[in-house]
């Protein structure tokens, strides 16, 4: 069995392993990481040999750490990264390059239709009717998107939203509220087969699916990192938040994962705090007293037009994994339009948690 895992902010770890009589055998760890001394690599292999095949990643990492020679130095590699690569091998996980990725980047659409497209396209991936897809959003109007389990009245100031013409929609994924305006926000979705994140914990899957965009930001001169559970941050502050939803596949097929990210290119902070009710506990948890300081826009950090940032992100993805231009099919669009009307534009759904 063969497994690969790109350590977030680090290097690629490759594991080849067999299972005999319920334990790991013939373990070989490789990759483009740096490791000193040389004998540390054999220590890692030996630490994994004979371990029960159902051992979880945390226990595998602990065994590796205990077996390392004194003074071992790892660069681009972690014990946890090796353990995850082992679990991915055992789970027969797929890799990014196993797929023919499709890009969808259409014109501006309504907030409710964006919510519906995420659900429809990810269900199509789960059904095997669509390849894994990167969809870049364009907004026709300002919106607040609240998480699936958030209280509407606790998160949104209804009077402020009405005053500023901000539509409120609820998405199918969890997480917090996002304030978006056309031209000020960069939003994208990944609709991927569940096998791509096999062997990863829920938290690890966020880091894994965000890693490509960290490299894209790095190419633009921004040192960014994944901040658990679902933020992308820089020295200047948070720049993005992610959310996920697992979609069950048809009978006999694995499911798919929706992973979507909203990045602040620019932001009207005064308007944001008039529309969102940002509680003191949330601000305290983020280590800041001011809501206006929580998000630091990409416009200031890159000095690039929004369109150029998006283009560079797409080019970075294409260079790593390949990416062909695609579109929403007529059937997918019709289903999404109906879902937007009956679900995502419905007061019953938006206020399902009052």
């Amino acid at each position: 069995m063969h497994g690969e895992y790109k350590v977030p902010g680090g290097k690629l770890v490759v594991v080849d392993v067999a299972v005999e009589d319920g334990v790991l055998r013939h373990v070989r760890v490789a990759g483009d990481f740096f490791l000193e001394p040389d004998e540390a690599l054999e220590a890692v292999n030996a630490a994994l040999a004979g371990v029960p095949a159902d051992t979880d990643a945390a226990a595998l990492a602990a065994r590796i750490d205990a077996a390392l020679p004194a003074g071992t130095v790892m660069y681009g590699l972690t014990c946890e990264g090796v353990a995850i690569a082992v679990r991915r091998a055992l789970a027969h996980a797929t890799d990014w390059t196993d797929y023919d990725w499709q890009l969808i980047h259409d014109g501006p659409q309504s907030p409710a239709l964006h919510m519906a497209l995420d659900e429809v396209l990810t269900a199509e991936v789960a059904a095997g009717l669509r390849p894994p897809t990167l969809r870049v959003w364009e907004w026709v109007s300002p919106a607040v998107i609240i998480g699936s389990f958030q209280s509407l009245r606790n998160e949104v100031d209804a009077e402020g939203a009405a005053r500023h013409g901000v539509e409120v929609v609820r998405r199918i994924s969890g997480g917090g509220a996002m304030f978006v305006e056309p031209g000020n926000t960069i939003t994208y979705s990944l609709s991927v087969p569940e096998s791509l994140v096999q062997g990863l914990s829920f938290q690890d899957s966020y880091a894994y699916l965000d890693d490509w965009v960290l490299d894209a930001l790095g190419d633009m001169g921004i040192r960014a990192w994944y901040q658990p559970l679902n933020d992308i941050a820089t020295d200047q502050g948070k720049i993005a938040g992610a959310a996920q939803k697992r979609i069950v596949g048809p009978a006999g097929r694995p499911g798919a994962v929706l992973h979507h990210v909203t990045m602040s290119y620019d932001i009207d902070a005064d308007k944001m705090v008039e529309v969102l009710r940002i509680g003191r506990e949330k601000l305290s948890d983020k280590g800041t007293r001011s809501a206006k300081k929580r998000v630091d826009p990409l416009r200031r950090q890159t000095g690039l037009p929004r369109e150029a940032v998006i283009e560079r992100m797409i080019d970075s993805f294409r260079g790593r994994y390949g990416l062909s231009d695609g579109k929403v099919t007529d059937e997918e669009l019709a289903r999404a339009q109906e879902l937007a009307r009956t679900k995502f534009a419905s007061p019953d759904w938006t206020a399902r948690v009052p």
Side-chain angles (χ1 to χ4, degrees):
M1 287 167 279
H2 179 87
E4 299 185 1
Y5 179 64
K6 168 71 163 53
V7 176
K11 299 293 185 177
L12 181 69
V13 183
V14 180
V15 172
D16 291 285
V17 61
V19 175
E20 298 174 357
D21 299 322
V23 300
L24 306 185
R25 299 292 186 194
H26 313 297
V27 183
R28 289 292 178 267
V29 176
D32 59 353
F33 49 80
F34 299 90
L35 179 63
E36 294 288 349
D38 281 355
E39 52 265 31
L41 183 60
E42 281 308 311
V44 172
N45 292 332
L48 295 169
V51 176
D54 60 357
T55 304
D56 65 21
L60 291 174
R63 287 184 62 92
I64 295 167
D65 185 62
L68 292 174
T72 294
V73 176
M74 294 179 167
Y75 183 76
L77 174 70
T78 63
C79 297
E80 293 77 12
V82 176
I84 290 171
V86 171
R87 294 307 319 167
R88 284 176 58 76
L90 297 174
H92 302 284
T94 54
D95 186 63
W96 295 84
T97 54
D98 292 334
Y99 300 104
D100 295 323
W101 290 87
Q102 187 173 109
L103 169 69
I104 294 176
H105 188 190
D106 293 333
Q109 291 158 326
S110 72
L113 184 57
H114 277 307
M115 303 303 109
L117 282 169
D118 264 358
E119 183 169 334
V120 168
L121 297 181
T122 308
E124 290 289 277
V125 172
L129 301 175
R130 156 171 288 282
T133 299
L134 167 65
R135 184 171 74 91
V136 180
W137 305 19
E138 298 293 346
W139 297 90
V140 74
S141 59
V144 166
I145 304 95
I146 59 175
S148 181
F149 311 108
Q150 288 189 297
S151 163
L152 176 60
R153 63 171 168 258
N154 286 349
E155 296 297 327
V156 181
D157 184 315
E159 291 183 0
R163 185 167 61 253
H164 292 292
V166 175
E167 182 177 353
V168 181
V169 292
R170 185 184 296 274
R171 60 181 184 267
I172 60 173
S173 61
M178 305 299 295
F179 172 70
V180 302
E181 292 183 288
N184 284 356
T185 307
I186 297 173
T187 308
Y188 66 87
S189 302
L190 288 169
S191 297
V192 306
E194 191 176 37
S195 57
L196 184 63
V197 297
Q198 284 293 329
L200 300 177
S201 68
F202 189 76
Q203 177 171 318
D204 289 334
S205 71
Y206 273 86
Y208 184 67
L209 295 176
D210 281 338
D211 191 62
W212 71 275
V213 82
L214 301 185
D215 282 354
L217 291 169
D219 292 341
M220 289 180 266
I222 298 177
R223 190 180 75 86
W225 60 86
Y226 161 74
Q227 183 170 295
L229 170 64
N230 61 334
D231 288 348
I232 297 174
T234 73
D235 291 329
Q236 304 301 314
K238 173 183 171 180
I239 58 173
Q244 286 186 7
K245 176 67 176 179
R246 264 60 175 174
I247 301 291
V248 177
R253 288 195 59 87
V257 178
L258 167 66
H259 178 92
H260 43 200
V261 175
T262 294
M263 312 179 76
S264 290
Y265 172 74
D266 204 349
I267 194 163
D268 186 332
D270 291 322
K271 187 185 297 184
M272 180 182 72
V273 297
E274 290 181 21
V275 173
L276 293 181
R277 300 185 188 275
I278 302 176
R280 292 181 179 179
E281 284 191 21
K282 184 179 292 186
L283 293 176
S284 174
D285 181 57
K286 301 296 182 180
T288 181
R289 294 185 178 182
S290 171
K292 299 179 184 180
K293 295 180 180 178
R294 285 191 59 206
V295 180
D296 191 73
L298 287 170
R299 179 187 61 78
R300 188 176 69 81
Q301 292 199 46
T302 64
L304 296 171
R306 175 180 176 275
E307 293 74 16
V309 174
I310 292 173
E311 183 178 356
R312 292 198 185 190
M313 288 171 57
I314 292 172
D315 287 346
S316 180
F317 191 103
R318 181 177 285 114
R320 289 168 67 119
Y321 309 127
L323 188 65
S324 61
D325 293 337
K327 64 177 184 177
V328 177
T329 68
D330 291 342
E331 181 181 353
E332 290 168 338
L333 181 59
R335 287 171 54 199
Q337 288 171 332
E338 178 66 10
L339 195 60
R341 184 183 66 80
T342 60
K343 178 178 180 177
F344 292 106
S346 163
D348 289 342
W349 168 258
T350 304
R352 78 183 188 105
V353 183

